């Protein structure tokens, strides 16, 4: 069943792990889930956008509830499913954990008076206590999904090569009946290698700053997962903000790679040109956040 709520203007960075990465009984549960997905012939095409939109609908219902719920009472039992060389891999949605993580980030970014405008103080305190109790029981569990609204962080593109991009069109055989989709996928080993190379270049050529720190955090996150996992960058609802012609010509991963190569070669002019192309593309999208 399709939901009437469209996916939010957000992009997603997902890690899909093989079943062997999960401890029992979680491994058996995901194995059964994958078998069910196979039996219903539901794979990535068409299902990812619908799962994301359904998640958005549930979030809106939680916000409008009385009292509002900053995190669902139970963890999601759904996952995104894909294949690597015929081997199934899963990316648990972990909606509850991701809500807790987002709340923790908001508490660091905004003053209490701003948070009080969204949720009663007692509700936030209860959610924080629930998160702390869960973390004490599950200290090593990491969210498999990061999200970003209104843009794709430049550091995410470091993980991918341009030829790993996949564009699904509405009139194509894979996208029939659906909308535009754009995503990149790469093996975990490649993603980690690219982060390490990029950090070497940036540390040698730039002062410590947000780009290096963000890439360090990204690299540490990737290290938490199975070495035979897959990393996916999904443009999600952002495809609705980008003209179809620009989607077909989307080459940010290539520009990021060009910029890093130019920095490594000491070619500041070429690095600046690559950076200009990236910022021009994404500043136009981010400006729509404040459009009326």
């Amino acid at each position: 069943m399709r939901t009437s709520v469209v996916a939010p203007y957000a992009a997603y960075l997902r890690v899909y792990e093989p079943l062997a990465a999960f401890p029992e009984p979680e491994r058996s549960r995901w194995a059964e889930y994958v078998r069910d997905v196979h039996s219903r012939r539901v794979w990535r095409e068409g299902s990812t956008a619908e799962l994301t939109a359904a998640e958005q609908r549930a979030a809106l219902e939680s916000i409008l509830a009385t009292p509002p719920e900053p995190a669902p009472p139970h963890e999601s039992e759904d996952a995104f499913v894909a294949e690597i060389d015929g081997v199934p891999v899963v990316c648990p949605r972990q909606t509850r954990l991701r809500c807790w993580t987002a709340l923790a980030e908001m508490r660091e970014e905004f003053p209490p008076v701003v948070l009080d405008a969204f949720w009663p103080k007692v509700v936030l305190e209860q959610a924080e206590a629930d998160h702390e109790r869960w973390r004490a029981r599950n200290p090593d569990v990491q969210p498999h999904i990061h999200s970003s609204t209104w843009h794709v962080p430049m550091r995410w593109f470091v993980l991918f090569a341009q030829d790993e991009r996949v564009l699904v069109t509405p009139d194509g055989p894979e996208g029939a009946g659906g909308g535009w989709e754009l995503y990149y996928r790469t093996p975990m080993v490649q993603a980690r290698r690219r982060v390490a190379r990029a950090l070497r270049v940036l540390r040698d050529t730039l002062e410590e700053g947000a780009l290096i720190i963000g890439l360090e955090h990204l690299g540490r996150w990737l290290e938490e997962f199975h070495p035979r996992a897959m990393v996916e960058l999904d443009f999600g609802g952002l495809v609705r903000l980008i003209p179809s012609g620009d989607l077909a010509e989307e080459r940010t991963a290539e520009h990021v790679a060009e910029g890093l190569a130019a920095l490594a070669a000491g070619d500041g002019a070429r690095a600046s040109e690559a950076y200009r192309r990236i910022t021009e593309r994404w500043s136009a999208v981010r400006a729509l956040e404040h459009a009326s």
Side-chain angles (χ1 to χ4, degrees), residues 237-255:
L238 295 185
V239 296
R240 304 200 312 278
L241 302 177
I242 304 173
S244 58
D246 290 346
L247 282 176
E249 298 299 322
E250 209 295 311
R251 310 196 69 80
T252 306
E254 180 180 291
H255 298 326

Side-chain angles (χ1 to χ4, degrees), residues 264-286:
D267 190 340
R270 188 158 61 96
S272 296
E273 175 60 20
Y275 181 74
R276 182 191 63 79
R277 293 174 182 173
I278 297 167
T279 54
E280 282 185 355
R281 160 58 56 87
W282 290 102
S283 60
V285 176
R286 296 197 71 170

Side-chain angles (χ1 to χ4, degrees), residues 94-115:
Q94 297 171 298
T95 308
R96 194 184 194 201
L97 175 57
R98 288 161 53 209
C99 287
W100 280 333
T101 302
L103 281 173
E105 293 172 351
M106 289 184 67
R107 291 177 80 97
E108 293 180 358
E109 183 176 356
F110 298 104
V113 65
V114 174
L115 296 177

Side-chain angles (χ1 to χ4, degrees), residues 19 24 57 60 62 91 107 115 139 173 182 199 207-208 218 233 249 266 269 277:
L19 296 175
E24 292 290 2
R57 179 176 59 187
L60 291 174
S62 296
C91 174
R107 291 177 80 97
L115 296 177
L182 194 156
L199 282 173
E207 295 182 359
E208 185 83 3
L218 182 59
L233 166 54
E249 298 299 322
R277 293 174 182 173

Side-chain angles (χ1 to χ4, degrees), residues 2-223:
R2 293 182 180 271
T3 176
S4 60
V5 177
V6 297
Y9 294 128
Y12 303 90
L13 190 64
R14 303 187 181 102
V15 172
Y16 293 73
E17 293 193 280
L19 296 175
F22 299 95
E24 292 290 2
E26 189 177 5
R27 181 186 307 172
S28 295
R29 183 168 66 83
W30 287 130
E32 179 63 29
Y33 186 90
V34 169
R35 284 193 291 268
D36 183 54
V37 168
H38 267 296
S39 67
R40 290 183 288 115
R41 303 182 66 83
V42 179
W43 283 100
R44 184 196 188 285
E45 289 76 14
S47 63
T48 301
E50 289 187 24
L51 276 176
T52 303
E55 185 176 275
Q56 172 77 347
R57 179 176 59 187
L60 291 174
E61 292 173 349
S62 296
I63 292 173
L64 296 175
T66 306
E69 298 176 347
H74 304 288
E75 188 55 275
S76 170
E77 296 184 352
D78 291 323
F80 299 99
V81 178
E83 282 189 348
I84 301 178
D85 298 327
V87 177
V89 288
V90 297
C91 174
R93 289 173 62 190
Q94 297 171 298
T95 308
R96 194 184 194 201
L97 175 57
R98 288 161 53 209
C99 287
W100 280 333
T101 302
L103 281 173
E105 293 172 351
M106 289 184 67
R107 291 177 80 97
E108 293 180 358
E109 183 176 356
F110 298 104
V113 65
V114 174
L115 296 177
D116 290 346
F118 291 93
W119 298 284
K121 183 178 180 180
V122 65
V123 171
L124 289 178
E125 291 177 344
Q126 182 61 56
E128 184 176 17
D130 291 342
H131 187 195
E132 290 178 353
R133 284 193 295 270
W134 182 90
R135 179 58 68 190
R137 299 191 302 269
N138 305 274
D140 299 324
V141 177
Q142 297 291 325
H144 284 66
I145 304 173
H146 284 185
S147 61
S148 175
T149 56
W150 297 98
H151 77 297
V152 179
M154 185 164 57
R155 62 184 178 275
W156 289 7
F157 286 103
V158 171
L159 309 181
F160 305 94
Q162 187 61 42
D163 61 6
E164 292 169 335
R165 189 196 74 156
V166 175
L167 179 65
V168 179
T169 61
D171 54 351
E174 294 181 332
W180 290 84
E181 293 184 60
L182 194 156
Y183 60 94
Y184 292 76
R185 284 179 171 177
T186 196
M188 176 63 75
V189 64
Q190 285 282 26
R192 290 175 178 170
R193 185 178 295 126
R194 288 165 182 155
V195 168
R197 289 173 178 170
L199 282 173
R200 284 197 297 270
V201 170
L202 294 176
R203 288 167 178 159
D204 288 343
T205 57
L206 300 179
E207 295 182 359
E208 185 83 3
L211 181 57
I212 292 177
I213 293 173
L215 198 55
E216 288 174 340
H217 290 169
L218 182 59
R220 285 195 290 270
W221 177 62
L222 294 178
E223 290 293 333

